Amino acid sequence: MYTSKISGLGYYVPENVVTNDDLSKIMDTNDAWIQERTGIKERRHIKKGDGNSTSIMGVKAAKIALERANVTTDDIDFIIFATLSPDMYFPGGGVRVQDMMNMNTIPALDVRNQCSGFVYAISVADQFVKTGMYKNVLVIGSENHSGGLDMTTRGRGVSVIFGDGAGAAVVTRSEEKGSGILSTHLHSEGAHAKELSLEGPSTEHWVPEIIAENPQEDIPYYPYMNGQFVFKNAVVRFSEVINEGLQKNNLSAADIDMLIPHQANLRISQFVQKQFRLSDDQVYNNIQKYGNTTAASIPIALTEAWEAGKIKKGDLVVLAAFGSGFTWGSAIIRW
């Protein structure tokens, strides 16, 4: 049995910055209202004509990750692409990355686990590498939310939260015992699926049906979120799955050098930080400037923390996410 490690990281965000004040010009909201509830000050949105898409941003992040891992596209054995916002209904983003990067006819897998997508994808990569099937797996989390949000007062409870961007990691085979990805832990609870969802267009709500049967004031093809219910579940599940990972490896909260939580809401991160009695230097948050980038949020934050020198060899790094599904998970990594 091999071990697996993250050998390269990269991220990309669009240049177009959208501030809270910008949003206040198109909907009934303001900077204080948004920051109080979410901690977000600004986010990045793809701008029409800037040449970006979910897959293209994923490629931009992937190229940086490959360079830092000191591997080429010929070295990659498998692509795992996590997103809720693929370029098209089908096929998914993984095969588009394979094409855009001129890779060999390697397999490509798409993961549709929304906010926990990157943790799920890392878990899949970890298993393929540890069993010896693949040596280098490219894992991407990328999202283009801005084109599918209700940018009016009606949708402000959701639309102010989300941003666009991509992050990528190369998961590589290693024979160094006691380091790399130590364990991953995944869960779901579908009973609450509709509390954070986008019901149409889908095979249950095709576009002609939506147009014919729904008044314009009740459009089901925008995301819906029961914010308070999601928050209450998130803080419980975050803590549970982090503790599960620590216990699996005979570790405690005192051993954590860096926690990278999914950037759903700064208040959730702060709540979890307080529960585990971690200092500001032990938790990395960047939701203030990027918003919630769903599957991209953890790899973007992980890359930034590493670039800033906040993660060093030997550090215990914990990734944790909770989101739509409900799904949640954690990864315990000895860097």
Side-chain angles (χ1 to χ4, degrees):
M1 180 74 77
Y2 299 100
T3 60
S4 69
K5 66 178 182 180
I6 294 176
S7 59
L9 291 166
Y11 80 93
Y12 172 82
V13 291
E15 293 182 4
N16 181 38
V17 177
V18 179
T19 67
N20 293 341
D21 288 335
D22 291 332
L23 295 180
S24 71
K25 297 171 183 175
I26 59 175
M27 62 180 73
D28 184 12
T29 191
N30 58 68
D31 178 66
W33 187 89
I34 296 171
Q35 285 205 53
E36 179 184 347
R37 287 161 177 77
T38 69
I40 300 168
K41 299 178 182 179
E42 58 188 42
R43 70 288 293 148
R44 304 295 182 97
H45 283 177
I46 287 176
K47 197 171 184 178
K48 189 173 182 179
D50 70 1
N52 279 313
S53 71
T54 303
S55 298
I56 290 171
M57 290 191 297
V59 167
K60 291 176 179 179
K63 287 180 177 179
I64 298 169
L66 263 64
E67 182 179 353
R68 288 172 170 173
N70 195 29
V71 297
T72 70
T73 54
D74 289 338
D75 297 313
I76 300 298
D77 306 308
F78 189 32
I79 302 164
I80 307 177
F81 195 101
T83 187
L84 65 77
S85 53
D87 296 349
M88 57 187 81
Y89 200 99
F90 66 88
V95 295
R96 303 209 78 196
V97 168
Q98 182 271 339
D99 175 48
M100 291 176 188
M101 297 186 72
N102 295 312
M103 291 181 167
N104 297 320
T105 57
I106 59 173
L109 172 70
D110 285 71
V111 172
R112 291 289 300 276
N113 281 78
Q114 295 67 250
C115 297
S116 63
F118 186 78
V119 172
Y120 265 73
I122 283 288
S123 181
V124 173
D126 177 50
Q127 300 306 313
F128 272 115
V129 171
K130 282 181 175 174
T131 56
M133 186 166 183
Y134 298 125
K135 186 176 180 180
N136 294 296
V137 179
L138 173 60
V139 181
I140 297 172
S142 183
E143 302 289 3
N144 172 12
H145 289 119
S146 59
L149 298 173
D150 183 359
M151 303 299 286
T152 70
T153 298
R154 176 185 55 205
R156 65 180 177 177
V158 173
S159 298
V160 301
I161 297 171
F162 293 96
D164 304 337
V170 178
V171 178
T172 300
R173 183 187 301 171
S174 172
E175 296 183 5
E176 188 177 347
K177 303 300 181 184
S179 68
I181 301 171
L182 303 181
S183 64
T184 58
H185 309 270
L186 310 174
H187 296 274
S188 72
E189 189 175 20
H192 303 310
K194 291 193 174 182
E195 302 300 336
L196 178 50
S197 63
L198 196 161
E199 293 191 47
S202 68
T203 54
E204 291 185 350
H205 299 281
W206 286 120
V207 174
E209 176 188 332
I210 292 172
I211 294 172
E213 298 180 7
N214 292 275
Q216 288 300 301
E217 292 305 309
D218 184 27
I219 302 174
Y221 48 80
Y222 287 125
Y224 167 77
M225 179 172 64
N226 182 346
Q228 289 188 343
F229 186 80
V230 172
F231 187 100
K232 290 176 182 178
N233 277 266
V235 293
V236 172
R237 299 307 194 185
F238 260 107
S239 298
E240 286 179 353
V241 82
I242 292 170
N243 276 321
E244 180 183 358
L246 292 173
Q247 291 168 11
K248 170 71 175 179
N249 295 282
N250 297 314
L251 298 165
S252 70
D255 295 307
I256 297 174
D257 294 297
M258 179 57 68
L259 170 64
I260 308 284
H262 162 56
Q263 304 293 293
N265 185 310
L266 186 60
R267 308 306 163 217
I268 294 175
S269 296
Q270 290 170 335
F271 189 95
V272 173
Q273 176 180 340
K274 186 176 180 180
Q275 282 190 313
F276 284 89
R277 299 180 179 179
L278 300 174
S279 70
D280 289 345
D281 289 335
Q282 292 172 288
V283 184
Y284 191 82
N285 291 299
N286 61 5
I287 191 172
Q288 302 93 322
K289 57 182 180 178
Y290 298 133
N292 179 347
T293 55
T294 310
S297 82
I298 286 180
I300 291 174
L302 180 61
T303 304
E304 279 200 335
W306 175 80
E307 288 177 345
K310 295 180 179 294
I311 297 175
K312 302 175 293 295
K313 185 173 175 57
D315 281 355
L316 186 73
V317 178
V318 177
L319 314 180
F322 173 91
S324 172
F326 289 152
T327 61
W328 61 99
S330 65
I332 312 298
I333 303 170
R334 180 67 68 184
W335 207 257

